[in-house]
Amino acid sequence: MASAAIMLAADAPKLSSANTGFMLICSALVLIMTPGLAFFYGGMVRVKSTLNMLMMSFISIGIVTILWVLYGFSMAFGTDSGSLIGWNSDWVGMSNVGLTQLWDGYTIPIFVFMIFQMMFAIITPALISGALADRVKFTAWALFVALWATVVYFPVAHWVWGAGGWAFDLGVIDFAGGTAVHINAGAAALGVILVIGKRVGFKKDPMRPHSLPLVMLGAGLLWFGWFGFNAGSWLGNDDGVGALMFVNTQVATAAAMLAWLAYEKIRHGAFTTLGAASGAVAGLVAITPSGGAVSPLGAIAVGVIAGVLCAMAVGLKYRFGYDDSLDVVGVHLVGGVVGSLLIGLFASGHGQSDVEGLFYGGGMTQFWKQCAGVFAVLAYSLVASAILAFLIDKTIGMRVTEDEEVAGIDQAEHAETAYDFSGAGGGVVTTTGPALAAAAQSKKVDA
């Protein structure tokens, strides 16, 4: 018995400084994705909505951080109750957790795992905001973020990643958030916009992106941060799966960008910067659930399929009449569904598990498991989010007034504008009297 106890003690995981440092870096990378998303969305809206779009992402950092520490982490990763929710009273406020207490068989502290998962919780409701551009009260949005994180995200994270969660026990594969993050956010976006309705002038007025450079900057930050999002989700294990995920993230994103541009050229006759940025994000979304299960060749296939299908899906809002302002449904919901279901076809059996998809001789078993996870999360998030939006709309109201929307939500909700067109330093340029004489003299000197 004594020798067995010694062996068990020797085999127990020990704190790894390397893995801990790696995961802290990955956590910072995931955090930078939310400002990146803010720039990505901020450049896609009209000038009069830029600041509001930025703030809808930034407020998620504040609200979800506090909720995650108070009770969110406990709900998502605590002791399972009925396969639906977790709870651990020692994690409420994180005040009863030892500094070097390890996370569930891994070599990193609980605090490190908690902060890494916090960044996922932060960006998920921020993703929803792109569908609601131009028309939602900021107070209503802040309340929605708090309620949605509590009622939808924390439970769904437990289903998918928490020990004892029904999807986890069923064997649904979601490496880094295809269901819990992207399908969850995309379905929520659809549920909310069906409640609050269309923007003033939808399908009538031009609603083009005001700053494509901002869009490209945001997409670049998302691409950069996504390596922490994906590769970090293996929690620093030294078995090569995190490296595979890193490679597949790059490969699938590149393939999706090229596929989107090719589709765009064939369909519309041009390669656009917006298409390149959107295609890259579609690839990032699709590889998030699948990258640990497929080979690099499989990642190319995932990227190409997602790039084309997401490019096709963004036009559905005009056919069906729902106003998804910045294509959250077309990119995140569709991309998440595609990436999650393709695991059932392309899982190689040589990545995060020995599960094989249909094309590798594994039959359809994993595909049906993926379907169960995908459509359960989609349905729950869609219905719950619509109910939350309805309740908020009937109490404090979800939308700004029509006059405020037309004039610009930035000025109405934040008393600011993104750009100062009145002159350098914010002053008004004078064109009479001494100023005009000085300008004329300056021109003579320059000549």
Side-chain angles (χ1 to χ4, degrees), residues 307-373:
V308 172
L309 291 182
C310 289
M312 296 171 65
V314 296
L316 295 178
K317 63 184 179 183
Y318 300 110
R319 180 177 299 178
F320 295 108
Y322 61 89
D323 186 7
D324 175 16
S325 306
L326 307 182
D327 301 316
V328 178
V329 175
V331 174
H332 292 277
L333 177 57
V334 173
V337 169
V338 169
S340 296
L341 295 184
L342 288 179
I343 294 170
L345 304 181
F346 291 109
S348 67
H350 300 295
Q352 67 186 92
S353 70
D354 59 2
V355 170
E356 295 178 335
L358 177 64
F359 297 158
Y360 287 80
M364 293 290 287
T365 302
Q366 188 62 38
F367 181 81
W368 297 123
K369 290 180 180 180
Q370 297 301 121
C371 286

Side-chain angles (χ1 to χ4, degrees), residues 148-243:
W148 188 86
T150 302
V151 174
V152 181
Y153 182 80
F154 300 159
V156 170
H158 181 75
W159 298 357
V160 176
W161 294 318
W166 69 264
F168 182 90
D169 287 349
L170 180 63
V172 177
I173 293 175
D174 185 356
F175 194 97
T179 52
V181 175
H182 297 290
I183 293 173
N184 203 3
L190 181 58
V192 176
I193 59 181
L194 291 177
V195 171
I196 67 172
K198 308 174 184 66
R199 287 169 291 178
V200 175
F202 176 64
K203 293 202 291 188
K204 297 177 182 178
D205 299 337
M207 297 180 178
R208 293 185 292 270
H210 88 279
S211 176
L212 288 169
L214 273 185
V215 174
M216 297 297 282
L217 172 63
L221 288 172
L222 284 170
W223 195 331
F224 175 69
W226 222 293
F227 289 111
F229 194 87
N230 280 357
S233 290
W234 203 236
L235 304 184
N237 282 357
D238 300 322
D239 55 8
V241 175

Side-chain angles (χ1 to χ4, degrees), residues 1-14:
M1 292 292 292
S3 61
I6 292 172
M7 290 180 63
L8 287 173
D11 293 338
K14 298 179 181 179

Side-chain angles (χ1 to χ4, degrees), residues 253-337:
T253 306
M257 180 181 67
L258 296 176
W260 186 302
L261 288 172
Y263 173 85
E264 192 173 56
K265 177 65 174 178
I266 294 169
R267 184 70 185 271
H268 304 293
F271 302 112
T272 69
T273 51
L274 182 60
S278 300
V281 172
L284 290 165
V285 170
I287 203 61
T288 291
S290 58
V294 303
S295 68
L297 286 177
I300 293 175
V302 169
V304 169
I305 294 169
V308 172
L309 291 182
C310 289
M312 296 171 65
V314 296
L316 295 178
K317 63 184 179 183
Y318 300 110
R319 180 177 299 178
F320 295 108
Y322 61 89
D323 186 7
D324 175 16
S325 306
L326 307 182
D327 301 316
V328 178
V329 175
V331 174
H332 292 277
L333 177 57
V334 173
V337 169

